[in-house]
């Protein structure tokens, strides 16, 4: 979708993964890319036509839901 910011997997995080905000494994983008729990993701956001700004997230296990059930089984 045109309104969804660009997400990409990165090899190294700018901070320890436990200090990064989370994106749940049940998120549509994480499921589309098939990213496992613990993957560090860079999200490029645009604000008012300025240069894109990177935000970092780590894929986390959702408590309950489809992703959590799949990870347990």
């Amino acid at each position: 979708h045109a309104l969804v910011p660009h997400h990409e997997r990165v090899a190294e995080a700018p901070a320890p993964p436990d200090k990064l905000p989370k994106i749940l494994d049940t998120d549509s983008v994480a499921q589309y890319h098939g990213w496992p729990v613990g993957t560090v993701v860079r999200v490029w956001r645009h604000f008012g036509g300025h240069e894109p700004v990177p935000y970092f997230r780590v894929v986390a296990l959702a408590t309950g839901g489809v992703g959590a059930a799949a990870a347990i089984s």
Side-chain angles (χ1 to χ4, degrees), residues 9-72:
R9 183 180 194 164
V10 295
E12 293 185 22
D18 60 336
K19 301 293 184 190
L20 293 174
K22 296 171 179 51
I23 181 171
L24 298 179
D25 62 341
T26 55
D27 184 274
S28 299
V29 176
Q31 288 181 342
Y32 174 81
H33 289 287
W35 290 325
V37 171
T39 302
V40 177
V41 177
R42 179 173 30 221
V43 181
W44 289 99
R45 293 188 177 168
H46 298 265
F47 296 104
H50 297 287
E51 292 293 319
V53 178
Y55 286 81
F56 293 88
R57 303 284 184 263
V58 63
V59 178
L61 185 65
T63 56
V66 177
I72 294 170

Side-chain angles (χ1 to χ4, degrees), residues 1-7 29 44:
H1 192 276
L3 298 178
V4 176
H6 179 72
H7 292 62
V29 176
W44 289 99

